[in-house]
Amino acid sequence: MTAIEESVARIGSATAHEAAGTVGALPSVIKPIAAAMYVAGPAFPVRSPAGDNLWLHRAVYAAKPGEVLVVDVGEGFEYGYWGEVLARAAVARGLAGLVIHGGVRDSAALAERGWPVFAERVCLRGTVKDPAGDGDLGEPIRIGGVDIELGDLIIGDAAGVLRIPRDRADEVRARSMERDRAESAVFGRLEQGASTLDIYGLR
């Protein structure tokens, strides 16, 4: 586990989103391919041409261990850019996970492997590998109105995926822990019979 992963170990995406001021949520269509998947780590942005996954192959070997590949494929959603071969390569490289605003394939095998994969959809349609394709590695990308830069903190779980600017990671971590502690206290009061109307002053 990397230092940044340790600093946000199991902080939920929804909690961190609130702690960050309700900013940075990626499109809600991006979900884990298995509900229990969780990812936290620094972003390695990838811009890939539509229908072409060569830049993803390159990204696996350009990213550092512990980084999360965050991939923009433009409007080319109806392709399976990532599958079991790339997942095995990413695991061997020690990468933390994949977030792609596009499709993946081999979903059953990916779910069984358990390595975190968050995708806009599952799609069997194959891709090409054009050496002249227009892409980028490590440069800023934009997904659903959210700008993502190298080193930004990515948190993903069953609720969705969140981007936090790297210079706010410590602040959001502390606020998230405070929210978790406060919520635990609420759970205790509910178990003792208090109502949400009273706890939150909603009467």
Side-chain angles (χ1 to χ4, degrees), residues 126-150:
T127 57
V128 299
K129 295 171 178 60
D130 181 3
D134 181 23
D136 274 315
L137 298 177
E139 297 299 320
I141 59 174
R142 188 173 178 85
I143 294 177
V146 178
D147 294 316
I148 301 163
E149 297 184 6
L150 182 68

Side-chain angles (χ1 to χ4, degrees), residues 26-27 29-33 46 48-53 56 69-83 98-105 110 117-125 127 141-144:
L26 271 60
V29 292
I30 302 176
K31 289 289 192 292
I33 61 167
V46 181
S48 175
D52 188 326
N53 78 343
L56 278 71
L69 301 181
V70 185
V71 184
D72 170 27
V73 299
E75 296 298 318
F77 301 124
E78 277 289 336
Y79 295 89
Y81 293 87
W82 186 275
L98 169 75
V99 175
I100 181 169
H101 196 203
V104 298
R105 61 200 306 183
L110 294 177
V117 174
F118 292 72
E120 192 269 350
R121 69 185 68 190
V122 173
C123 184
L124 58 80
R125 189 176 180 185
T127 57
I141 59 174
R142 188 173 178 85
I143 294 177

